[in-house]
Structure formats: structure tokens, C-alpha cells
Amino acid sequence: MPAKPLEQYERLVKAARSNLRAAEVAENILSTVEAGLDFLSSANQLDLESKVEGKSYFMFALDEPRKRSRPINAALFSFDLEAADESLSALLGGSLPEGATADEVDRALYTAVMAYCASADLLKSNDKKTPGTFFEILLGHTASNWFQSSPSRQITVPTLGKEITLPTDLNFDLGPAKSRIHMPVKLSTRERVVQVWAHQRVLDGMHGVGRFRGLLMACAETNKQGDASVVEVCLPNQWIAYQMYIAQMYRVYYLDPPEKYLTLGTEYPFINVSRMSNFFFEIDNLTGPT
Amino acid sequence: MPAKPLEQYERLVKAARSNLRAAEVAENILSTVEAGLDFLSSANQLDLESKVEGKSYFMFALDEPRKRSRPINAALFSFDLEAADESLSALLGGSLPEGATADEVDRALYTAVMAYCASADLLKSNDKKTPGTFFEILLGHTASNWFQSSPSRQITVPTLGKEITLPTDLNFDLGPAKSRIHMPVKLSTRERVVQVWAHQRVLDGMHGVGRFRGLLMACAETNKQGDASVVEVCLPNQWIAYQMYIAQMYRVYYLDPPEKYLTLGTEYPFINVSRMSNFFFEIDNLTGPT
């Protein structure tokens, strides 16, 4: 019998804290996902009315005590444990699953994220912290193997008189021949997203424009209205103003990309938003000369 | 018998929504403060261990149901309703109370803020929204009378191809001969403060550096540790990086200013942080040439 998702999560956090890139982290991610899928397979699934064109959503549900999960994109979630395990193992280790399509890559990652997040929604009350941490560990570990570099979570500000250190999102040093990577990881963005552009601006100011390329990794912008329907909450005009006047994010990747953000790439200021699988397919182009 | 603080607050919000600068708003602020002080005078006061040098804090408390308020700075809070009323009426109307000292101005405003916030702490559960809204209405109304100008809460971004509108904090248009004012209002700042500098940067980028002067209005950075002691949570190194690399805030005013921020004015990048009463004493210098 597999350990429960919350217990597996605790083991994962402990392993990630000591070394985010360790093989033990991948093992614990896989066990957490397995435990999550196992737990969710015994929960009810209730369809939600989708107000997002072209997407279907459902939620997991428990009675007594009454619990409801966040909305799950039906096309991106799969209970096929073997497929998820195989694809996920490859991605976590730094390579594409053999012959994998973009759809399979996105589905493996989305399933992994929701396996834990939906479990936490049902097993805890109003927990916003551990789902975000799980997402950050999953992508941080994966990216560290793809970049073959351990990320840092702080950065030194070299002022003339003294040195100060700032906490940041994940950042990767890929050596002098490549751009560095500034990688904020957020399940959803909403009003806090200005932080992403502001941190990029601080990095540009400290180390020169273009020294760090900003890659925002996000999951979805879905919002449940009561327990009935799902909308996507997007603020494209604010993103445009941030990209024009604060700093330039190089890429934005979503597991469940909102249409309103995908179209930001077609008009000035050309914010390049795409599905997460693109990160893996285009990674060689992300760090070299433009 | 005075109306209860929460009912008075609802009336205030309704009046402020229709016209923030209306005389009715001042009347409702005064009634809300009176109702708050009246309610709090029947609550218990429990001393807190202050880990902030030179400051004493207590909290209001109710039993059954057990409720505890945020920490209150003992030197800045007064139950003297008549004094508060007189000072507050003058400040709300756009003038200094006759012969008022800086201490009296800060005490009147701090007492007004805490009269509502502490009441909401005891009468509601974990309400973060209405205290913030009360603080914003109080300072927005006051500033609009001091600047003799109604604030706007959005700003138009004039791009080459199309026009987009952005929500912002309060901003005041004082005519072509004066700087405009960008006034974020926050009870406390913590990690969300980067938004203040980022919005200033967007305004600088859109309308030219110096067209808007940024005045951050804040209350305190106190944090209760359990129900026993009080600390101030400050991130001066982050403020320094933001002021160096994102934008330059012109002033930061606090009702209960943390020492760690007050000293930011003495070293590069010279963030001018002071007590809130300074705003009223130096207002003529805030909008003219530097």
C-alpha cells in the first residue's frame, strides 16, 4: 500500500531542502504523484461548467467532511499511472520521453502537479503553501537536470560601498558562454505577477540587460465560481504595461495556457507565452545568442 | 448610543464609493472612529512583550468567543475622544489642528486607524480587507482635501497603436505647474511592497521620470508572535535594491515608523522615510521643483 500523499510530500520537501538536484528528489516526486493518484482514484469526480472556450474541467470531491478540489483540466489529466511514471521519470532526469509528443509532455507534468494539489485540497483546509512548494520543487528539480546546473535562490547586489544579498526565485548560472536564467515558478499569477517583472528589472539593473533571461513557469489561471463553474482570470493589459515599462520577460510557459495570454505574442510588446512542453523542445535556443 | 463600528464602516464605504472627497465621508470616518473607541473601551487590554526598542505595545481582547486584536502602540493610541475628534476633523478637512504638534497629528491618525482596525479584529474573523480599505479611505479623503484634488484609481497607457487602462493606487493630478502624486496606501508592506516600486516604474516609463512623485503611506510593520510579543518585520535590503534598480520613491510615511526604515535616508540610495505627520508639515515642498 502506497504512503499517503501528504506524508510523501513531507519526505519530498526534506530531500529537496538538502539538495534540489539529488536523485532522491525525483524518487520522492514520483512517490508523491503515485500516492496522490491512488488517493484521488477513490474520490468522486464532479463535472464543472466551463466558461473557458474549448476546455473541460472537473473537480475531485469528498463528502463528510465536504471537500472540493481546484478545477482540473480534463484533457490534461490522466489516471494512467504507468504512462505518467515513464514520461515523468524521463523529464525529471533531463530528457524527453522516447518519441513523446508535446501533448504527452504537458499531460505528464499537469497530472503530476494536480495529483498532489488536488490531494492537498481534499486532505487539508485552504492550504495554499504546499501546492505551490510542490510545483516549485517539481519544476526546479526538472530544470536543474535539463540545465545541468543547481539553481540558487539568492543573488548578491554589488553596490559600491557594501554588498547586500537578496532572496529571489530560482536562478541558474550556465557559465560564461550562456545567458543566466531567472525562473519564477507560480501555480497562478493574479495580482502578484508584477513581482516577476520587478525582479527581472532588478537583475537587469544589477547585472546588465540580457544577462539573465526570464522564464516564468506557471500552471493555470483558472478560478472556480462557487462549486459550479470555471473561468480564467487574466490581466493581459497589465502584462503589456509591465513588459513595456518594467522589464522584458523572455518566455512564459503554462501547463494550461489561457488563450488571452497566448495571443500576447502576436502584437507589441510581443510577450512569448506558450505551453510548458515548449520549454523542453526549445531549451537549446533559450540560453544562446538571440 | 453610537452605532456599532462595523455598521458605521459600511456607511463610510458607501459614501466613499460615490465621492471620496465628499464631506459625508469625513462625517462617517468620525462616526466610525467614535463607534470603534466606544466599543474598544469595553474590551480588555493586555500588555504585549515588545521586542521593538523604545516602543510599548498592547492588544485588545475579548473572551467567549476568544478574540485578540493586532498590536497597538501605546504611545500613539488615545481614548480621548474629544481630542481625537478635534484633531481628526481638522486633518480630514485639509488643515492642521490649531497649534498641533507632530505628536498630536500622528496620535490622532493612528488612533483613528486602530479604532476601526482593532474593532474589526475583535468583531470579525481574520478580516484583512476592511481594515485596509478603512486606512485607504481615511488617507485618500484626507490627502484629497490637502491637495484640493480628487484622486483617480486608474491611469491610461498611451501606446502607439492603442490605448489601455491600468488600475493603480491613488493618484492626484495637481495641474501643469506641479508634480502629480502617486500614493500607494498600505497598512503594512511585507513582501508585497515590490508592487509600489514597480507601479512607480510604470508611471515613470509612461509619463517621464519625475512626472509622478511616489509617496508611500503606511501604518506599521508590527507582527505579533503568538499572543505574547511584538516584533517589527523589515526588509531594508530589498527596499535598497528596489530604490536602486526599479524606481525612486520620493517619500515613505509611517504612522508607527520602524527604526530600520527610518535610517534608510542617511545612506545611498537615500530613501526618505519619516513619520506621517511630516506629510502635512512639508506638503508644500512635495509637489514643487526639487
Side-chain angles (χ1 to χ4, degrees):
Chain A
M1 164 148 180
K4 289 175 183 164
L6 300 183
E7 288 158 25
Q8 273 299 342
Y9 167 83
E10 293 300 334
R11 267 175 231 148
L12 168 61
V13 169
K14 209 172 150 190
R17 207 176 284 145
S18 97
N19 176 6
L20 183 57
R21 210 182 152 189
E24 202 191 339
V25 173
E27 290 159 19
N28 278 296
I29 289 172
L30 290 169
S31 316
T32 307
V33 172
E34 282 170 25
L37 291 178
D38 184 65
F39 167 70
L40 291 172
S41 66
S42 66
N44 299 318
Q45 293 181 34
L46 304 179
D47 282 343
L48 288 160
E49 182 198 348
S50 170
K51 299 190 173 172
V52 187
E53 210 185 307
K55 299 182 183 178
S56 304
Y57 291 91
F58 67 93
M59 62 181 173
F60 289 103
L62 288 184
D63 302 323
E64 294 173 53
R66 189 180 186 281
K67 295 278 193 178
R68 300 290 183 257
S69 81
R70 64 196 64 204
I72 313 282
N73 184 318
L76 285 167
F77 186 88
S78 159
F79 269 115
D80 183 346
L81 190 57
E82 225 168 292
D85 245 24
E86 200 184 309
S87 299
L88 207 52
S89 295
L91 290 169
L92 287 166
S95 59
L96 282 171
E98 218 182 294
T101 62
D103 282 350
E104 283 160 10
V105 169
D106 286 320
R107 197 179 299 124
L109 287 171
Y110 185 87
T111 297
V113 173
M114 289 305 162
Y116 179 73
C117 294
S119 296
D121 292 339
L122 300 186
L123 291 167
K124 306 182 89 170
S125 285
N126 201 20
D127 173 26
K128 285 173 183 166
K129 191 159 179 286
T130 76
T133 303
F134 180 80
F135 188 53
E136 191 178 293
I137 293 172
L138 172 67
L139 288 182
H141 177 83
T142 303
S144 74
N145 278 332
W146 281 77
F147 288 133
Q148 296 181 38
S149 162
S150 287
S152 167
R153 299 187 54 92
Q154 61 176 40
I155 206 140
T156 300
V157 186
T159 78
L160 292 177
K162 54 179 176 182
E163 244 181 47
I164 59 179
T165 300
L166 275 190
T168 64
D169 293 290
L170 302 175
N171 64 81
F172 295 89
D173 177 0
L174 308 181
K178 292 189 171 179
S179 290
R180 292 181 189 222
I181 297 294
H182 163 224
M183 185 181 277
V185 179
K186 296 187 184 298
L187 277 174
S188 75
T189 65
R190 308 292 151 79
E191 68 281 354
R192 294 164 296 114
V193 80
V194 70
Q195 194 190 66
V196 168
W197 272 267
H199 280 179
Q200 182 65 39
R201 170 91 206 166
V202 171
L203 292 170
D204 287 352
M206 287 195 301
H207 299 289
V209 174
R211 190 79 193 85
F212 281 81
R213 291 211 177 130
L215 314 180
L216 168 58
M217 312 298 261
C219 179
E221 301 295 355
T222 48
N223 202 21
K224 224 169 36 178
Q225 300 182 304
D227 274 341
S229 61
V230 178
V231 293
E232 282 179 336
V233 181
C234 295
L235 304 167
N237 284 348
Q238 298 192 23
W239 284 37
I240 289 171
Y242 301 156
Q243 185 83 355
M244 286 173 72
Y245 297 116
I246 299 179
Q248 287 68 54
M249 289 300 289
Y250 196 69
R251 292 285 189 278
V252 178
Y253 297 107
Y254 271 98
L255 283 170
D256 183 7
E259 187 64 26
K260 277 187 187 160
Y261 288 153
L262 284 175
T263 56
L264 288 176
T266 63
E267 268 193 46
Y268 180 80
F270 306 107
I271 309 177
N272 191 320
V273 182
S274 64
R275 54 203 292 192
M276 185 84 72
S277 50
N278 250 15
F279 168 77
F280 304 99
F281 288 107
E282 68 172 351
I283 191 164
D284 290 339
N285 301 325
L286 292 177
T287 58
T290 38
Chain B
M1 165 145 180
K4 287 175 184 164
L6 300 184
E7 290 159 24
Q8 273 298 342
Y9 166 83
E10 293 300 335
R11 268 174 230 149
L12 168 62
V13 169
K14 210 173 150 190
R17 207 175 285 145
S18 96
N19 175 7
L20 183 58
R21 211 182 153 188
E24 201 191 340
V25 172
E27 289 159 20
N28 277 296
I29 289 173
L30 291 169
S31 315
T32 308
V33 172
E34 281 171 26
L37 291 178
D38 183 65
F39 167 71
L40 292 172
S41 67
S42 66
N44 299 318
Q45 293 181 33
L46 303 179
D47 282 342
L48 290 160
E49 182 197 346
S50 170
K51 297 190 174 172
V52 186
E53 211 185 307
K55 299 183 184 178
S56 303
Y57 291 92
F58 68 93
M59 61 182 173
F60 289 103
L62 288 184
D63 301 324
E64 294 174 52
R66 189 179 185 282
K67 297 278 193 177
R68 300 290 184 259
S69 81
R70 65 197 62 205
I72 313 283
N73 184 317
L76 285 166
F77 186 88
S78 160
F79 270 114
D80 183 345
L81 190 57
E82 224 168 294
D85 246 23
E86 198 184 311
S87 300
L88 208 51
S89 295
L91 290 169
L92 288 167
S95 59
L96 282 172
E98 218 182 293
T101 63
D103 282 352
E104 284 159 9
V105 169
D106 286 321
R107 198 180 297 124
L109 287 171
Y110 185 86
T111 297
V113 173
M114 289 303 161
Y116 178 74
C117 295
S119 296
D121 292 340
L122 299 187
L123 292 167
K124 306 182 90 171
S125 284
N126 201 20
D127 174 25
K128 284 172 184 166
K129 190 159 178 288
T130 75
T133 302
F134 180 79
F135 189 51
E136 192 178 292
I137 292 172
L138 172 66
L139 289 181
H141 176 83
T142 303
S144 73
N145 278 333
W146 281 77
F147 287 134
Q148 296 181 38
S149 162
S150 287
S152 167
R153 299 186 56 92
Q154 60 175 41
I155 207 142
T156 301
V157 186
T159 79
L160 292 178
K162 54 180 175 181
E163 244 183 47
I164 59 179
T165 299
L166 275 190
T168 64
D169 292 291
L170 302 176
N171 65 80
F172 295 89
D173 177 0
L174 308 180
K178 293 188 171 180
S179 290
R180 292 180 190 223
I181 297 295
H182 164 224
M183 184 182 278
V185 179
K186 297 189 182 299
L187 276 173
S188 74
T189 65
R190 306 293 152 78
E191 67 281 353
R192 294 164 295 115
V193 80
V194 70
Q195 193 190 66
V196 168
W197 272 268
H199 281 178
Q200 181 65 39
R201 171 90 205 165
V202 171
L203 292 171
D204 288 351
M206 287 196 299
H207 299 288
V209 174
R211 190 77 192 86
F212 282 81
R213 289 209 178 135
L215 313 180
L216 167 58
M217 312 299 261
C219 179
E221 301 294 355
T222 48
N223 201 21
K224 223 166 41 177
Q225 300 183 304
D227 274 341
S229 61
V230 178
V231 294
E232 281 179 337
V233 181
C234 296
L235 305 167
N237 284 348
Q238 297 193 23
W239 285 36
I240 289 171
Y242 301 157
Q243 184 83 354
M244 286 173 72
Y245 297 116
I246 299 180
Q248 288 67 54
M249 289 299 290
Y250 196 69
R251 291 287 189 278
V252 178
Y253 297 107
Y254 270 98
L255 282 170
D256 183 8
E259 188 64 26
K260 277 187 186 158
Y261 288 152
L262 284 174
T263 56
L264 288 176
T266 64
E267 268 192 47
Y268 179 80
F270 307 109
I271 309 178
N272 190 321
V273 182
S274 65
R275 55 203 291 192
M276 185 84 72
S277 50
N278 249 15
F279 168 76
F280 304 99
F281 288 107
E282 68 172 353
I283 192 164
D284 291 339
N285 301 325
L286 293 178
T287 57
T290 39

